[in-house]
Amino acid sequence: MTAQSTPTGTAADATPAVQSMPFSRAINAGLRAALAASDRVLLMGEDIGRLGGVFRVTEGLQAEFGDRRVLDSPLAESGLVGTAIGLAMAGFRPVVEIQFDGFVFPAFDQITTQLAKLTNRHEGALQMPVVIRIPYGGHIGAVEHHQESPEAYFTHTPGLRVVSPSTPNDGYWMIQDAIASPDPVIFLEPKSKYWQKGEVDTSARALPLHASRIVRRGTDVTLVGHGAMVTTMLQAAVLAEAEGTSVEVVDLRSLSPIDYGPILDSVRRTGRMVYAQEAPGFTSLGSEVAATVMEKAFYALEAPVLRVSGFDVPFPAAKLEGVYLPDADRILEAVDRALAY
Amino acid sequence: MTSDATVPAASPDPVRFLQADGTFAPTPAAERYAPLVDALGDTELEGFYRDMAVIRAFDVQATNLQRQGQLALWPPSYGQEAAQVGSARAARPQDHLFPSYREHVVTRIRGVDPLDIIRLMRGLTHGGWNPFDPKNGNTHIYTLVLGAQTLHATGFGMGLVFDGRCGTGDPERDEAVIVYYGDGASSQGDVHEAMVFAASYRTPEVFFLQNNQWAISVPVETQSRTPLHLRGAGYGMPSIAVDGNDVLASWAVTRVALDEARAGDGPRAIEAMTYRLGAHTTSDDPTKYRTADEEESWRRRDPIARMKAYLLARGASEAFFADVDAEAAAVADDVRTRTNELGGLEPDAMFAHVYSEEHPLVEEQRRWLADYEASFEGGAA
């Protein structure tokens, strides 16, 4: 493991190891710890310095570490990722912020033809420790290009690692582990969770970067998903419990690679699985997980694996996002269908 | 209304020392570089010629190897030797070079084994060499996505700035970056963004544009209605037009630009006017889009013939040229011999180095393929 993977943090000794903080502050604390642990770590992005990012995830970091460590870059996403690649070639560990999910596409070429493939192209002589942070997903009532879930574009690209924390504790630790990774990591931040508080234990990480996790125990059906949908699945689980259905919930956390251990363990106990996601369903992450679970746990299944997703349409105008995005009721509808088999 | 009145004219006077017939006749724009060129001795001048002639022989050999089925593809450097020799010889040992994919001259000068390029074009690798191995002279591998490498070079240059590896005033120590691209790539957004970032962070960088007049079949006029070297001004970047078929001019202009950049003066742009005498690649047929007259007019400006005439006028010996011819033939023979000795690839090679740390899916598929292949042993298939 590299030095960055065991950050000391900057908190004073008197600061308790377990604190409650919003998701955005937890990522901020994780970035601060990584910046403090290694002077090779750089943050780059649009408006991330003086402003602290449009979501304030990098707030205060430029003031603390200087404008050579936290860069307000020109407004050009391909330029951001392309120069981050060059900086990695020069021995840096850049962390790039893309301002919104829908604005990653100008950088799509650099991410998929260069960043993802350079280690392979160099036959292992070059590592690409670049993190691309992308606030993603809906629920914020924003204009076009600000509410999308582009994860499948990246999970489909060999050479990339893709993760998405859903809790403040995971945000704090997973950003540091992503920065410590020698491989490029697409770090998807469910932006609707930025303001949600949770406990962060800065004394020790709970799980490795690429582990999935059972976040609620149940016996009748397994819900699997990532990002903001974890919250929705937990809401569905509470509602189902009132109706006498015991629902288990798995937070995928890592979208590539996928840790199938807890998922298969769960499905083998419940016999039923529903995948929930905001992204359109066609050729999506849920499709991939569903296919793999059916291959690996076929005899344990009492029902087909079902998917609940956004519709296969462009993310609609914000007044319809409540219709477009799966909610607890849509998940429960699928749970009922699974139970009906 | 035509807008032509607003289009600046091409510089009538690029930096040039050698006329097409080898006459030493510096243009006015060349005057500031004259002391550098005057200081060149026979060793350097003959070295320039040797570089160009030897790599042309290699390039012709590689084209022949492709025609004989030994390579999938070959992009010839034929005709662009002066721009490449001049710029590569201008770089100092500590400099970092980011080629596109036609810089066979540049890579060899920096120490890359030409066979590494052969392996790339034979389908044995996507890369070919390790840029971080000292024997390769800080030369990065080829990039096939046009212009993408300009951003990598700029990011690398930002790293040099942040680490204080340039701008100290010591040209023997300060590092610089030179990135190669062409007239076609100049239309790519990445080149624009690279220049924006380079100017913003004042990278120690030279953007070296080889304008070989054709992007496969599309003439440079389609890429730009204004001479490409004029674009630099829009980024606040000094930009110099040079006769890219004159090795002396190419060397001197790049030398000065790199030294200014390494000293902390910010990035520079160079447009080297040259011509791709060969095809775009061995899959291309230039007779479909350009005339024999045009090609002939550029053959009369051949960079190697020009330098040979100059050296002969300076009194270079026939023995020197015979020696160069012998070395060129030996290099070409050596490449042919070693190409024929190249082996294949093990099936599991594709699974290595997809990631630096193990990825369970890749590992699972590697094991599956091994088992699958093994299942045929013993004649099952």
Side-chain angles (χ1 to χ4, degrees), chain A residues 26 48 95 104 124 165 180-181 199 201 224 232 253-254:
Chain A
I48 69 163
V95 182
V104 71
S181 171
E199 286 194 340
D201 181 351
V224 186
T232 311
R253 293 176 83 252
S254 175

Side-chain angles (χ1 to χ4, degrees), chain A residues 29 59 73 143 158 166 182 215 236 249 260 279 283 307 315-316 337:
Chain A
E59 191 164 48
S73 79
V143 294
S166 70
V215 294
V249 178
Y260 278 104
T283 60
R307 288 165 293 158
F315 197 101
R337 278 193 285 135

Side-chain angles (χ1 to χ4, degrees), chain A residues 25 28 32 35 43 48-53 56-66 70:
Chain A
R25 299 308 299 173
N28 178 280
R32 176 179 288 105
L35 284 162
L43 309 191
I48 69 163
R50 201 174 301 170
L51 182 66
R56 308 294 183 264
V57 174
T58 54
E59 191 164 48
L61 297 178
Q62 189 183 65
E64 186 171 341
F65 294 97
V70 181

Side-chain angles (χ1 to χ4, degrees), chain A residues 220-223 240 243 245 247 270-276 301-311 326-341:
Chain A
D220 297 334
V221 60
T222 301
L223 299 181
E243 296 173 1
T245 301
V247 171
T270 64
R272 291 174 171 83
M273 182 188 133
V274 175
Y275 198 96
L301 288 169
E302 302 290 340
V305 176
L306 300 177
R307 288 165 293 158
V308 180
S309 64
F311 298 105
D327 59 7
D329 286 337
R330 289 245 297 273
I331 292 172
L332 289 173
E333 187 273 341
V335 166
D336 287 345
R337 278 193 285 135
L339 287 169
Y341 276 89

Side-chain angles (χ1 to χ4, degrees), chain B residues 57 59 75 122 295 347 374:
Chain B
D59 185 70
R122 192 177 163 92
E295 292 186 10

Side-chain angles (χ1 to χ4, degrees), chain B residues 56-92:
Chain B
R56 180 170 289 186
F58 159 72
D59 185 70
V60 169
Q61 178 72 285
T63 299
N64 292 341
L65 285 166
Q66 192 281 334
R67 294 295 183 224
Q68 291 156 16
Q70 293 293 323
L71 306 181
L73 188 76
W74 187 254
S77 53
Y78 196 101
Q80 299 178 217
E81 292 88 351
Q84 294 192 20
V85 167
S87 57
R89 286 292 176 198
R92 296 181 186 264

Side-chain angles (χ1 to χ4, degrees), chain B residues 89-103:
Chain B
R89 286 292 176 198
R92 296 181 186 264
Q94 71 271 27
D95 290 343
H96 307 268
L97 291 81
F98 288 76
S100 180
Y101 55 77
R102 201 187 296 282
E103 280 67 44

